[in-house]
Amino acid sequence: MKLFSKNKEKANTPPEANKRKNELEPEKESKSSKNSLLKLSLPFITTSFLVVLLMAVGIYFISTDPVVKERKATVTKLYTDFYANLVALKLSELNKLRLSFSKQNTILDALSDTALIPTEEIRLQATIPGALSVNLFTDKNMKPDLSTSPPINFAAIDLVRRTMRQDKVYAEAHLIDERWILRFASPIGGSESKALGVLLINFEFDQYMSNMPPLEDKLGQLRLTQQFATGSATTIWQQGDAGLSKSDSSQFSYIDNNNLWKLHFIATKELEDGAYDQTFFFGIVGVFLILSAALSLLGHLLLSRLLNRDSQAFFNYINRLITRGSNPEPTYDLDIFTQMSSTLSENISHARTRLVSQAGVDDVFSGNKSGTAD
């Protein structure tokens, strides 16, 4: 009986209805795929991705801009040249001072009578500001003397001998008892091939450099190195501390001291970052972030609106099915509600078919019965 009822129902279904059903199902499927959550969200996702991509490109462009790099290098070079010129100026002043003693009669007299040398050394020291000591040398006393302060070591004697030969000499820094001593040597009298004597002036190097303008640690580090032809570079003075934030940017400048001295400046990242206008940079980043946030908010509001509207339509559809037994399926904006509505409609239709076939009633939900009583 059940099988006969099912076959009868299928047989009574008009072919046009089946054809129309088959035509509508692809249309419904196509419409549902167009209204899926992913496709509705895709424009906002794509736009947000493009915004983030543009922001990344902007940051890369700003950080690698040749103009920015040139400004960073210019700032670093300005600091380097500024301090290098100050060191060179101080050397120039001391060179002029030592050369001014080359023809003083009292010095020439002391060199002629070595007994006068100690007295002349005391007088000269009193006339030279900041001098630790002043020494006069002739061929007779040109030897190391570790009892003096600072000691006359072999490096000092080598400088004196070269000066005695009328070689062109420059200021030199000598490490003595863990402190650097700055020494100037000047030839006194004599001929072009050999001087009558040598004047050696000694300074405390840190004291000599004490009046240099201070360099803040946040800017970078200054480093003055000395390198002879047969040796490696040695740091004889430094100021500031680049620390862990030092950049890859480093500049140096030779001091007018026979290229024995070289001033290095290592800039910090903070100084380099200040070489360009950060307001413009952060302004671009802020605009991108605001635009991305606005797009995300717009997408959220649109999806919320669609969810509220479709959920209300879905619940109304359920209520009409329960109270009326049949109702046209509404059109939804979101695919998930279309699927839920179709599944619910099919389930109710199957349940109604089973009840009709089992009980022999035309409409279970309306309460109308057909047939004769026993």
Side-chain angles (χ1 to χ4, degrees), residues 46 57 73 86 155 169 190-191 196 202 213 266 273 283 294 313 334-335 343 370:
T46 304
V57 171
L86 288 179
V169 295
S191 62
L196 178 64
N202 303 283
I266 305 171
D273 292 342
L334 301 179
D335 180 52
T343 302
S370 63

Side-chain angles (χ1 to χ4, degrees), residues 180-347:
W180 289 99
I181 304 299
L182 179 63
R183 283 172 165 159
F184 292 84
S186 179
I188 305 296
S191 62
E192 292 183 358
S193 59
K194 184 179 180 180
L196 178 64
V198 174
L199 172 67
L200 182 68
I201 308 173
N202 303 283
F203 293 92
E204 180 83 42
F205 198 92
D206 287 342
Q207 182 65 29
Y208 167 74
M209 299 289 287
S210 62
N211 60 350
M212 292 285 288
L215 178 71
E216 298 182 27
D217 290 347
K218 67 179 182 180
L219 299 179
Q221 184 185 75
L222 287 168
R223 189 181 303 157
L224 184 63
T225 61
Q226 177 177 262
Q227 184 174 8
F228 295 99
T230 58
S232 58
T234 305
T235 300
I236 58 178
W237 175 82
Q238 72 178 33
Q239 186 181 96
D241 183 12
L244 297 177
S245 63
K246 74 177 182 179
S247 67
D248 296 329
S249 177
S250 176
Q251 295 276 350
F252 70 86
S253 177
Y254 282 108
I255 309 300
D256 187 18
N257 191 38
N258 195 31
N259 290 341
L260 288 177
W261 288 3
K262 186 190 295 185
L263 184 72
H264 304 258
F265 177 69
I266 305 171
T268 58
K269 293 186 182 299
E270 288 81 359
L271 177 61
E272 286 193 339
D273 292 342
Y276 58 92
D277 188 5
Q278 295 185 9
T279 304
F280 174 72
F281 170 74
F282 288 112
I284 292 178
V285 175
V287 169
F288 283 151
L289 291 177
I290 292 173
L291 182 58
S292 179
L295 289 172
S296 300
L297 179 61
L298 180 61
H300 172 73
L301 293 176
L302 178 60
L303 289 177
S304 298
R305 181 181 177 184
L306 295 178
L307 283 171
N308 291 333
R309 185 168 62 187
D310 284 2
S311 61
Q312 186 63 43
F314 181 68
F315 285 122
N316 292 338
Y317 175 61
I318 294 175
N319 291 331
R320 287 193 295 269
L321 282 178
I322 294 174
T323 57
R324 301 176 185 177
S326 64
N327 189 62
E329 185 177 342
T331 302
Y332 300 100
D333 294 307
L334 301 179
D335 180 52
I336 185 173
F337 288 99
T338 303
Q339 295 174 359
M340 292 169 59
S341 183
S342 298
T343 302
L344 179 63
S345 178
E346 291 174 1
N347 290 337

Side-chain angles (χ1 to χ4, degrees), residues 13-288:
T13 303
E16 293 79 5
N18 290 331
K19 183 178 179 181
R20 183 182 179 188
K21 180 179 180 183
N22 294 333
E23 291 176 351
L24 290 176
E25 285 179 354
E27 182 179 354
K28 183 186 296 185
E29 181 181 354
S30 175
K31 184 177 181 180
S32 298
S33 62
K34 291 181 180 179
N35 296 332
S36 65
L37 278 172
L38 178 61
K39 290 198 173 184
L40 287 172
S41 305
L42 191 59
F44 303 99
I45 296 174
T46 304
T47 308
S48 298
F49 173 76
L50 290 176
V51 167
V52 174
L53 181 62
L54 287 174
M55 184 170 62
V57 171
I59 293 173
Y60 174 79
F61 174 76
I62 291 175
S63 61
T64 58
D65 186 3
V67 176
V68 172
K69 287 186 174 181
E70 183 179 351
R71 288 178 181 176
K72 291 180 179 181
T74 300
V75 170
T76 306
K77 191 175 186 304
L78 285 174
Y79 276 89
T80 306
D81 293 345
F82 173 73
Y83 281 93
N85 290 333
L86 288 179
V87 175
L89 180 61
K90 292 173 72 65
L91 286 177
S92 176
E93 292 174 352
L94 290 178
N95 279 324
K96 291 178 181 179
L97 177 65
R98 71 180 178 87
L99 293 175
S100 66
F101 295 111
S102 59
K103 296 182 179 180
Q104 285 190 10
N105 292 330
T106 54
I107 298 177
L108 293 173
D109 293 341
L111 294 176
S112 301
D113 183 1
T114 56
L116 300 176
I117 287 181
T119 303
E120 184 62 16
E121 289 177 343
I122 294 173
R123 185 190 72 83
L124 289 172
Q125 182 179 351
T127 61
I128 301 175
L132 284 177
S133 64
V134 176
N135 304 100
L136 288 172
F137 292 94
T138 64
D139 287 334
K140 296 180 181 179
N141 67 341
M142 194 167 50
K143 59 184 179 181
D145 185 1
L146 302 181
S147 63
T148 61
S149 180
I152 303 299
N153 55 8
F154 287 99
I157 294 301
D158 178 68
L159 176 61
V160 170
R161 284 174 180 166
R162 285 183 280 121
T163 308
M164 187 74 76
R165 295 195 305 262
Q166 294 287 15
D167 293 346
K168 193 171 184 179
V169 295
Y170 299 84
E172 295 181 6
H174 297 162
L175 184 62
I176 300 175
D177 296 333
E178 298 184 355
R179 62 174 181 164
W180 289 99
I181 304 299
L182 179 63
R183 283 172 165 159
F184 292 84
S186 179
I188 305 296
S191 62
E192 292 183 358
S193 59
K194 184 179 180 180
L196 178 64
V198 174
L199 172 67
L200 182 68
I201 308 173
N202 303 283
F203 293 92
E204 180 83 42
F205 198 92
D206 287 342
Q207 182 65 29
Y208 167 74
M209 299 289 287
S210 62
N211 60 350
M212 292 285 288
L215 178 71
E216 298 182 27
D217 290 347
K218 67 179 182 180
L219 299 179
Q221 184 185 75
L222 287 168
R223 189 181 303 157
L224 184 63
T225 61
Q226 177 177 262
Q227 184 174 8
F228 295 99
T230 58
S232 58
T234 305
T235 300
I236 58 178
W237 175 82
Q238 72 178 33
Q239 186 181 96
D241 183 12
L244 297 177
S245 63
K246 74 177 182 179
S247 67
D248 296 329
S249 177
S250 176
Q251 295 276 350
F252 70 86
S253 177
Y254 282 108
I255 309 300
D256 187 18
N257 191 38
N258 195 31
N259 290 341
L260 288 177
W261 288 3
K262 186 190 295 185
L263 184 72
H264 304 258
F265 177 69
I266 305 171
T268 58
K269 293 186 182 299
E270 288 81 359
L271 177 61
E272 286 193 339
D273 292 342
Y276 58 92
D277 188 5
Q278 295 185 9
T279 304
F280 174 72
F281 170 74
F282 288 112
I284 292 178
V285 175
V287 169
F288 283 151

